[in-house]
Amino acid sequence: MARERTERAGPGGDAGRAAWTPREDRGPVRYGPPAPDPGLPVLPELAGVLAAAAGRSAPEPTGGGESLRAAAAAYWTRRGLRGGPEYIAAAPGASPLLLALIAAHGGDVLTPRPCPATWIPQARLLGRPAYHVPTPAECGGVPDPYALLETVRRVRAEGGRPRLLLISVVDDPTATVAPPELVREACEAAVAEGMHIVSDETWRDTLHRPHDTVLLSPAEMCPDDVTVVCDLAGALTPSAWPVAVARFPDTERAAVRHARTLDILTALGALVAGPVAAAAAHALTEPEAVTARVRRAAALQAQVAAAAHRAVLASGALARPPQAGRHLYADLGPLRARLATRGVTDSLELEEYLTERLGAPTPGGHRFGDELGALRVRLGTGPLLGSTPEQQMESLTAVEPLKLPHVARALSIFGTALDELR
């Protein structure tokens, strides 16, 4: 059994005090979510659907209209998760949707460490205790099952009520995919302890090697105990068009939580814009233009992320091989002595240093729940594709994108910034 100390995410625990204490030398530590990756240029077909719906004057109902919810239900049915539109709720982005879900479920929240940057702020906004659970060596996004059980035991011993586990089988920030056996063990452990699971599957369609990677949704294993969330900006729609969808289980308890979620979205005024809903519904039907863009984008990110990963390892830093998404998560701990000579002693200073050197937002690990003293950072691959829409499209359509001058130059700058620390 893992002997990890229970770590509270936010004020109240030792780890929380270390993570959230303002630093007098530079003012408060910035813990807000990092700027989203703008992604590739908007797909013309989606832009056309949005433009055609621009004249709509009637707002979408809370939780999304029938067309959007039916498209989301069909999307999940094609992935083995059957159910009708009555089990779907939509919101203008993942943040308000997750906030409503946490509020609807109640109790303490458990998350893997590291976890997406928006998760802990959502729990803190609601005043909910949140605890980090260590992940295994091979991946992020899903807690080690033994560490999960130990954390639950310790939280209860301290008077807590662990009720909700947030996981991401295709993980941001680590860009890893949790193996099915780990997902099963973690989910079975959580359900046995009376916890509900929210599975963030935003990045499931961005696998770098879809034919070699086995992806299993927790909802396939524990259908009555898992709510699935997907932020469409992960793969299907532009980040400037906020829309996310959730799929609830087919149970009486889930129906009550679904209704509570809609009540909270109503109170927040969290309605999906009509034109965005139309474009999102179209994307969720997965026409050929959309699926072709998703495939090409994933293949491009695979090549660029692999090159960035090689540069990280060549510098002496550590990182798991990226398997999905548009990021990789690097541990520069082995370079601590060299970084210290440049005034970099924690992840906040590392964020500032690399953001300046790379000319692109490079959020430190403290934003994702890691200790401030750990020298970890999420490195985005989007800026390596080009700085203009024309360069990005050239990268997307090139047979050998790594040989394009603007991509090669960006990778050279990336590698040089890391090599200086050897």
Side-chain angles (χ1 to χ4, degrees), residues 4-34:
E4 295 283 345
R5 172 174 53 87
T6 302
E7 293 183 342
R8 175 83 167 271
D14 292 340
R17 284 194 292 270
W20 294 96
T21 301
R23 302 184 358 145
E24 296 179 357
D25 54 345
R26 287 192 305 278
V29 178
R30 295 188 296 275
Y31 281 97

PDB file of all heavy atoms in Angstrom, residues 4-34:
ATOM      1  N   GLU A   4       1.831   7.516   0.741  1.00  0.00           N
ATOM      2  CA  GLU A   4       1.890   8.933   0.403  1.00  0.00           C
ATOM      3  C   GLU A   4       1.122   9.738   1.449  1.00  0.00           C
ATOM      4  O   GLU A   4       0.046   9.351   1.903  1.00  0.00           O
ATOM      5  CB  GLU A   4       1.242   9.176  -0.979  1.00  0.00           C
ATOM      6  CG  GLU A   4       1.995   8.518  -2.125  1.00  0.00           C
ATOM      7  CD  GLU A   4       3.232   9.287  -2.497  1.00  0.00           C
ATOM      8  OE1 GLU A   4       3.357  10.446  -2.085  1.00  0.00           O
ATOM      9  OE2 GLU A   4       4.073   8.718  -3.211  1.00  0.00           O
ATOM     10  N   ARG A   5       1.672  10.901   1.838  1.00  0.00           N
ATOM     11  CA  ARG A   5       0.943  11.810   2.707  1.00  0.00           C
ATOM     12  C   ARG A   5      -0.236  12.387   1.946  1.00  0.00           C
ATOM     13  O   ARG A   5      -0.146  12.738   0.780  1.00  0.00           O
ATOM     14  CB  ARG A   5       1.884  12.947   3.140  1.00  0.00           C
ATOM     15  CG  ARG A   5       1.199  14.063   3.892  1.00  0.00           C
ATOM     16  CD  ARG A   5       2.253  15.068   4.395  1.00  0.00           C
ATOM     17  NE  ARG A   5       3.112  15.509   3.304  1.00  0.00           N
ATOM     18  CZ  ARG A   5       2.802  16.530   2.519  1.00  0.00           C
ATOM     19  NH1 ARG A   5       1.667  17.166   2.660  1.00  0.00           N
ATOM     20  NH2 ARG A   5       3.639  16.904   1.570  1.00  0.00           N
ATOM     21  N   THR A   6      -1.402  12.468   2.600  1.00  0.00           N
ATOM     22  CA  THR A   6      -2.557  13.076   1.955  1.00  0.00           C
ATOM     23  C   THR A   6      -2.242  14.516   1.615  1.00  0.00           C
ATOM     24  O   THR A   6      -1.808  15.281   2.459  1.00  0.00           O
ATOM     25  CB  THR A   6      -3.775  13.039   2.896  1.00  0.00           C
ATOM     26  OG1 THR A   6      -4.033  11.684   3.235  1.00  0.00           O
ATOM     27  CG2 THR A   6      -4.995  13.652   2.237  1.00  0.00           C
ATOM     28  N   GLU A   7      -2.487  14.909   0.366  1.00  0.00           N
ATOM     29  CA  GLU A   7      -2.126  16.247  -0.085  1.00  0.00           C
ATOM     30  C   GLU A   7      -3.370  17.012  -0.482  1.00  0.00           C
ATOM     31  O   GLU A   7      -4.075  16.628  -1.414  1.00  0.00           O
ATOM     32  CB  GLU A   7      -1.144  16.173  -1.253  1.00  0.00           C
ATOM     33  CG  GLU A   7       0.203  15.599  -0.810  1.00  0.00           C
ATOM     34  CD  GLU A   7       1.212  15.589  -1.917  1.00  0.00           C
ATOM     35  OE1 GLU A   7       0.811  15.695  -3.078  1.00  0.00           O
ATOM     36  OE2 GLU A   7       2.405  15.484  -1.611  1.00  0.00           O
ATOM     37  N   ARG A   8      -3.637  18.070   0.240  1.00  0.00           N
ATOM     38  CA  ARG A   8      -4.788  18.900  -0.025  1.00  0.00           C
ATOM     39  C   ARG A   8      -4.439  19.905  -1.110  1.00  0.00           C
ATOM     40  O   ARG A   8      -3.414  20.568  -1.034  1.00  0.00           O
ATOM     41  CB  ARG A   8      -5.173  19.621   1.267  1.00  0.00           C
ATOM     42  CG  ARG A   8      -6.295  20.623   1.137  1.00  0.00           C
ATOM     43  CD  ARG A   8      -7.651  19.950   1.215  1.00  0.00           C
ATOM     44  NE  ARG A   8      -8.683  20.975   1.388  1.00  0.00           N
ATOM     45  CZ  ARG A   8      -9.082  21.419   2.562  1.00  0.00           C
ATOM     46  NH1 ARG A   8      -8.565  20.929   3.660  1.00  0.00           N
ATOM     47  NH2 ARG A   8     -10.033  22.332   2.632  1.00  0.00           N
ATOM     48  N   ALA A   9      -5.266  20.031  -2.113  1.00  0.00           N
ATOM     49  CA  ALA A   9      -5.026  20.981  -3.203  1.00  0.00           C
ATOM     50  C   ALA A   9      -5.731  22.283  -2.881  1.00  0.00           C
ATOM     51  O   ALA A   9      -6.919  22.433  -3.098  1.00  0.00           O
ATOM     52  CB  ALA A   9      -5.540  20.413  -4.516  1.00  0.00           C
ATOM     53  N   GLY A  10      -4.997  23.216  -2.337  1.00  0.00           N
ATOM     54  CA  GLY A  10      -5.597  24.489  -1.975  1.00  0.00           C
ATOM     55  C   GLY A  10      -5.350  24.766  -0.503  1.00  0.00           C
ATOM     56  O   GLY A  10      -4.691  24.001   0.186  1.00  0.00           O
ATOM     57  N   PRO A  11      -5.864  25.838   0.032  1.00  0.00           N
ATOM     58  CA  PRO A  11      -5.615  26.194   1.415  1.00  0.00           C
ATOM     59  C   PRO A  11      -6.095  25.119   2.365  1.00  0.00           C
ATOM     60  O   PRO A  11      -7.137  24.524   2.181  1.00  0.00           O
ATOM     61  CB  PRO A  11      -6.426  27.494   1.586  1.00  0.00           C
ATOM     62  CG  PRO A  11      -6.576  28.037   0.215  1.00  0.00           C
ATOM     63  CD  PRO A  11      -6.652  26.848  -0.679  1.00  0.00           C
ATOM     64  N   GLY A  12      -5.306  24.866   3.403  1.00  0.00           N
ATOM     65  CA  GLY A  12      -5.759  23.949   4.430  1.00  0.00           C
ATOM     66  C   GLY A  12      -4.795  22.840   4.729  1.00  0.00           C
ATOM     67  O   GLY A  12      -4.701  22.379   5.857  1.00  0.00           O
ATOM     68  N   GLY A  13      -4.063  22.325   3.757  1.00  0.00           N
ATOM     69  CA  GLY A  13      -3.107  21.250   3.984  1.00  0.00           C
ATOM     70  C   GLY A  13      -1.703  21.758   3.792  1.00  0.00           C
ATOM     71  O   GLY A  13      -1.473  22.856   3.298  1.00  0.00           O
ATOM     72  N   ASP A  14      -0.698  20.950   4.153  1.00  0.00           N
ATOM     73  CA  ASP A  14       0.692  21.367   3.981  1.00  0.00           C
ATOM     74  C   ASP A  14       0.987  21.690   2.539  1.00  0.00           C
ATOM     75  O   ASP A  14       1.589  22.705   2.212  1.00  0.00           O
ATOM     76  CB  ASP A  14       1.628  20.274   4.485  1.00  0.00           C
ATOM     77  CG  ASP A  14       1.529  20.108   5.997  1.00  0.00           C
ATOM     78  OD1 ASP A  14       1.048  21.057   6.650  1.00  0.00           O
ATOM     79  OD2 ASP A  14       1.914  19.043   6.493  1.00  0.00           O
ATOM     80  N   ALA A  15       0.570  20.738   1.638  1.00  0.00           N
ATOM     81  CA  ALA A  15       0.835  20.974   0.215  1.00  0.00           C
ATOM     82  C   ALA A  15       0.084  22.193  -0.278  1.00  0.00           C
ATOM     83  O   ALA A  15       0.564  22.952  -1.093  1.00  0.00           O
ATOM     84  CB  ALA A  15       0.435  19.738  -0.607  1.00  0.00           C
ATOM     85  N   GLY A  16      -1.162  22.389   0.256  1.00  0.00           N
ATOM     86  CA  GLY A  16      -1.928  23.551  -0.168  1.00  0.00           C
ATOM     87  C   GLY A  16      -1.245  24.842   0.222  1.00  0.00           C
ATOM     88  O   GLY A  16      -1.176  25.784  -0.546  1.00  0.00           O
ATOM     89  N   ARG A  17      -0.725  24.919   1.459  1.00  0.00           N
ATOM     90  CA  ARG A  17      -0.054  26.147   1.883  1.00  0.00           C
ATOM     91  C   ARG A  17       1.186  26.413   1.048  1.00  0.00           C
ATOM     92  O   ARG A  17       1.471  27.531   0.675  1.00  0.00           O
ATOM     93  CB  ARG A  17       0.307  26.045   3.364  1.00  0.00           C
ATOM     94  CG  ARG A  17      -0.900  26.247   4.277  1.00  0.00           C
ATOM     95  CD  ARG A  17      -0.447  26.472   5.699  1.00  0.00           C
ATOM     96  NE  ARG A  17       0.143  25.283   6.267  1.00  0.00           N
ATOM     97  CZ  ARG A  17      -0.544  24.356   6.916  1.00  0.00           C
ATOM     98  NH1 ARG A  17      -1.853  24.463   7.038  1.00  0.00           N
ATOM     99  NH2 ARG A  17       0.065  23.302   7.431  1.00  0.00           N
ATOM    100  N   ALA A  18       1.932  25.348   0.724  1.00  0.00           N
ATOM    101  CA  ALA A  18       3.134  25.542  -0.086  1.00  0.00           C
ATOM    102  C   ALA A  18       2.778  26.018  -1.483  1.00  0.00           C
ATOM    103  O   ALA A  18       3.475  26.814  -2.074  1.00  0.00           O
ATOM    104  CB  ALA A  18       3.927  24.229  -0.169  1.00  0.00           C
ATOM    105  N   ALA A  19       1.656  25.528  -2.012  1.00  0.00           N
ATOM    106  CA  ALA A  19       1.303  25.841  -3.384  1.00  0.00           C
ATOM    107  C   ALA A  19       0.643  27.205  -3.536  1.00  0.00           C
ATOM    108  O   ALA A  19       0.764  27.832  -4.564  1.00  0.00           O
ATOM    109  CB  ALA A  19       0.380  24.766  -3.943  1.00  0.00           C
ATOM    110  N   TRP A  20      -0.044  27.681  -2.497  1.00  0.00           N
ATOM    111  CA  TRP A  20      -0.876  28.854  -2.697  1.00  0.00           C
ATOM    112  C   TRP A  20      -0.396  30.099  -1.941  1.00  0.00           C
ATOM    113  O   TRP A  20      -1.047  31.130  -1.971  1.00  0.00           O
ATOM    114  CB  TRP A  20      -2.320  28.547  -2.272  1.00  0.00           C
ATOM    115  CG  TRP A  20      -2.945  27.536  -3.154  1.00  0.00           C
ATOM    116  CD1 TRP A  20      -3.032  26.196  -2.930  1.00  0.00           C
ATOM    117  CD2 TRP A  20      -3.543  27.757  -4.424  1.00  0.00           C
ATOM    118  NE1 TRP A  20      -3.657  25.581  -3.978  1.00  0.00           N
ATOM    119  CE2 TRP A  20      -3.981  26.507  -4.917  1.00  0.00           C
ATOM    120  CE3 TRP A  20      -3.761  28.889  -5.212  1.00  0.00           C
ATOM    121  CZ2 TRP A  20      -4.610  26.360  -6.123  1.00  0.00           C
ATOM    122  CZ3 TRP A  20      -4.403  28.732  -6.421  1.00  0.00           C
ATOM    123  CH2 TRP A  20      -4.808  27.476  -6.861  1.00  0.00           C
ATOM    124  N   THR A  21       0.718  30.020  -1.239  1.00  0.00           N
ATOM    125  CA  THR A  21       1.215  31.166  -0.484  1.00  0.00           C
ATOM    126  C   THR A  21       1.794  32.224  -1.421  1.00  0.00           C
ATOM    127  O   THR A  21       2.642  31.917  -2.251  1.00  0.00           O
ATOM    128  CB  THR A  21       2.305  30.717   0.502  1.00  0.00           C
ATOM    129  OG1 THR A  21       1.732  29.750   1.384  1.00  0.00           O
ATOM    130  CG2 THR A  21       2.823  31.897   1.303  1.00  0.00           C
ATOM    131  N   PRO A  22       1.354  33.498  -1.326  1.00  0.00           N
ATOM    132  CA  PRO A  22       1.961  34.548  -2.161  1.00  0.00           C
ATOM    133  C   PRO A  22       3.439  34.718  -1.838  1.00  0.00           C
ATOM    134  O   PRO A  22       3.857  34.544  -0.700  1.00  0.00           O
ATOM    135  CB  PRO A  22       1.162  35.798  -1.778  1.00  0.00           C
ATOM    136  CG  PRO A  22      -0.107  35.270  -1.203  1.00  0.00           C
ATOM    137  CD  PRO A  22       0.266  33.982  -0.526  1.00  0.00           C
ATOM    138  N   ARG A  23       4.207  35.084  -2.860  1.00  0.00           N
ATOM    139  CA  ARG A  23       5.647  35.269  -2.683  1.00  0.00           C
ATOM    140  C   ARG A  23       5.939  36.758  -2.710  1.00  0.00           C
ATOM    141  O   ARG A  23       5.628  37.453  -3.657  1.00  0.00           O
ATOM    142  CB  ARG A  23       6.394  34.535  -3.792  1.00  0.00           C
ATOM    143  CG  ARG A  23       6.031  33.077  -3.749  1.00  0.00           C
ATOM    144  CD  ARG A  23       6.744  32.180  -4.725  1.00  0.00           C
ATOM    145  NE  ARG A  23       7.647  32.787  -5.624  1.00  0.00           N
ATOM    146  CZ  ARG A  23       8.773  32.198  -6.026  1.00  0.00           C
ATOM    147  NH1 ARG A  23       9.099  31.036  -5.539  1.00  0.00           N
ATOM    148  NH2 ARG A  23       9.544  32.766  -6.896  1.00  0.00           N
ATOM    149  N   GLU A  24       6.554  37.252  -1.626  1.00  0.00           N
ATOM    150  CA  GLU A  24       6.717  38.690  -1.461  1.00  0.00           C
ATOM    151  C   GLU A  24       7.668  39.304  -2.475  1.00  0.00           C
ATOM    152  O   GLU A  24       7.546  40.471  -2.819  1.00  0.00           O
ATOM    153  CB  GLU A  24       7.219  38.980  -0.042  1.00  0.00           C
ATOM    154  CG  GLU A  24       6.211  38.562   1.028  1.00  0.00           C
ATOM    155  CD  GLU A  24       6.735  38.824   2.418  1.00  0.00           C
ATOM    156  OE1 GLU A  24       7.892  39.273   2.528  1.00  0.00           O
ATOM    157  OE2 GLU A  24       6.002  38.571   3.387  1.00  0.00           O
ATOM    158  N   ASP A  25       8.616  38.497  -2.963  1.00  0.00           N
ATOM    159  CA  ASP A  25       9.615  39.099  -3.846  1.00  0.00           C
ATOM    160  C   ASP A  25       9.049  39.491  -5.200  1.00  0.00           C
ATOM    161  O   ASP A  25       9.519  40.440  -5.823  1.00  0.00           O
ATOM    162  CB  ASP A  25      10.816  38.149  -4.037  1.00  0.00           C
ATOM    163  CG  ASP A  25      10.403  36.773  -4.524  1.00  0.00           C
ATOM    164  OD1 ASP A  25       9.194  36.464  -4.441  1.00  0.00           O
ATOM    165  OD2 ASP A  25      11.284  36.017  -4.974  1.00  0.00           O
ATOM    166  N   ARG A  26       8.027  38.761  -5.686  1.00  0.00           N
ATOM    167  CA  ARG A  26       7.464  39.101  -6.990  1.00  0.00           C
ATOM    168  C   ARG A  26       5.954  39.258  -6.946  1.00  0.00           C
ATOM    169  O   ARG A  26       5.319  39.280  -7.983  1.00  0.00           O
ATOM    170  CB  ARG A  26       7.826  38.020  -8.019  1.00  0.00           C
ATOM    171  CG  ARG A  26       9.259  38.020  -8.453  1.00  0.00           C
ATOM    172  CD  ARG A  26       9.446  37.128  -9.655  1.00  0.00           C
ATOM    173  NE  ARG A  26       8.961  35.796  -9.410  1.00  0.00           N
ATOM    174  CZ  ARG A  26       9.644  34.858  -8.769  1.00  0.00           C
ATOM    175  NH1 ARG A  26      10.825  35.133  -8.296  1.00  0.00           N
ATOM    176  NH2 ARG A  26       9.134  33.654  -8.595  1.00  0.00           N
ATOM    177  N   GLY A  27       5.386  39.346  -5.743  1.00  0.00           N
ATOM    178  CA  GLY A  27       3.938  39.442  -5.647  1.00  0.00           C
ATOM    179  C   GLY A  27       3.324  38.056  -5.676  1.00  0.00           C
ATOM    180  O   GLY A  27       4.013  37.036  -5.606  1.00  0.00           O
ATOM    181  N   PRO A  28       1.991  37.968  -5.802  1.00  0.00           N
ATOM    182  CA  PRO A  28       1.312  36.678  -5.748  1.00  0.00           C
ATOM    183  C   PRO A  28       1.719  35.765  -6.891  1.00  0.00           C
ATOM    184  O   PRO A  28       1.947  36.209  -8.020  1.00  0.00           O
ATOM    185  CB  PRO A  28      -0.177  37.061  -5.848  1.00  0.00           C
ATOM    186  CG  PRO A  28      -0.231  38.499  -5.466  1.00  0.00           C
ATOM    187  CD  PRO A  28       1.070  39.088  -5.902  1.00  0.00           C
ATOM    188  N   VAL A  29       1.800  34.477  -6.592  1.00  0.00           N
ATOM    189  CA  VAL A  29       2.060  33.483  -7.626  1.00  0.00           C
ATOM    190  C   VAL A  29       0.843  33.402  -8.536  1.00  0.00           C
ATOM    191  O   VAL A  29      -0.293  33.388  -8.067  1.00  0.00           O
ATOM    192  CB  VAL A  29       2.326  32.103  -6.986  1.00  0.00           C
ATOM    193  CG1 VAL A  29       2.544  31.059  -8.056  1.00  0.00           C
ATOM    194  CG2 VAL A  29       3.540  32.178  -6.073  1.00  0.00           C
ATOM    195  N   ARG A  30       1.057  33.369  -9.818  1.00  0.00           N
ATOM    196  CA  ARG A  30      -0.047  33.310 -10.770  1.00  0.00           C
ATOM    197  C   ARG A  30      -0.447  31.852 -10.988  1.00  0.00           C
ATOM    198  O   ARG A  30       0.309  31.065 -11.549  1.00  0.00           O
ATOM    199  CB  ARG A  30       0.372  33.962 -12.086  1.00  0.00           C
ATOM    200  CG  ARG A  30       0.647  35.448 -11.958  1.00  0.00           C
ATOM    201  CD  ARG A  30       0.867  36.079 -13.317  1.00  0.00           C
ATOM    202  NE  ARG A  30       2.048  35.548 -13.974  1.00  0.00           N
ATOM    203  CZ  ARG A  30       3.269  36.015 -13.760  1.00  0.00           C
ATOM    204  NH1 ARG A  30       3.463  36.975 -12.891  1.00  0.00           N
ATOM    205  NH2 ARG A  30       4.293  35.509 -14.406  1.00  0.00           N
ATOM    206  N   TYR A  31      -1.677  31.518 -10.577  1.00  0.00           N
ATOM    207  CA  TYR A  31      -2.140  30.143 -10.695  1.00  0.00           C
ATOM    208  C   TYR A  31      -3.294  29.987 -11.660  1.00  0.00           C
ATOM    209  O   TYR A  31      -3.866  28.925 -11.759  1.00  0.00           O
ATOM    210  CB  TYR A  31      -2.566  29.612  -9.312  1.00  0.00           C
ATOM    211  CG  TYR A  31      -1.386  29.211  -8.476  1.00  0.00           C
ATOM    212  CD1 TYR A  31      -0.863  30.087  -7.551  1.00  0.00           C
ATOM    213  CD2 TYR A  31      -0.781  27.979  -8.648  1.00  0.00           C
ATOM    214  CE1 TYR A  31       0.231  29.740  -6.794  1.00  0.00           C
ATOM    215  CE2 TYR A  31       0.316  27.628  -7.893  1.00  0.00           C
ATOM    216  CZ  TYR A  31       0.820  28.508  -6.965  1.00  0.00           C
ATOM    217  OH  TYR A  31       1.903  28.166  -6.223  1.00  0.00           O
ATOM    218  N   GLY A  32      -3.686  31.034 -12.334  1.00  0.00           N
ATOM    219  CA  GLY A  32      -4.779  30.916 -13.276  1.00  0.00           C
ATOM    220  C   GLY A  32      -4.417  29.977 -14.405  1.00  0.00           C
ATOM    221  O   GLY A  32      -3.256  29.653 -14.640  1.00  0.00           O
ATOM    222  N   PRO A  33      -5.425  29.482 -15.123  1.00  0.00           N
ATOM    223  CA  PRO A  33      -5.149  28.550 -16.211  1.00  0.00           C
ATOM    224  C   PRO A  33      -4.328  29.191 -17.300  1.00  0.00           C
ATOM    225  O   PRO A  33      -4.455  30.392 -17.572  1.00  0.00           O
ATOM    226  CB  PRO A  33      -6.556  28.174 -16.715  1.00  0.00           C
ATOM    227  CG  PRO A  33      -7.433  29.281 -16.271  1.00  0.00           C
ATOM    228  CD  PRO A  33      -6.849  29.781 -14.986  1.00  0.00           C
ATOM    229  N   PRO A  34      -3.448  28.432 -17.930  1.00  0.00           N
ATOM    230  CA  PRO A  34      -2.641  28.986 -19.013  1.00  0.00           C
ATOM    231  C   PRO A  34      -3.500  29.331 -20.209  1.00  0.00           C
ATOM    232  O   PRO A  34      -4.604  28.814 -20.379  1.00  0.00           O
ATOM    233  CB  PRO A  34      -1.678  27.835 -19.340  1.00  0.00           C
ATOM    234  CG  PRO A  34      -2.374  26.601 -18.877  1.00  0.00           C
ATOM    235  CD  PRO A  34      -3.177  27.005 -17.686  1.00  0.00           C
TER     236      PRO A  34
END
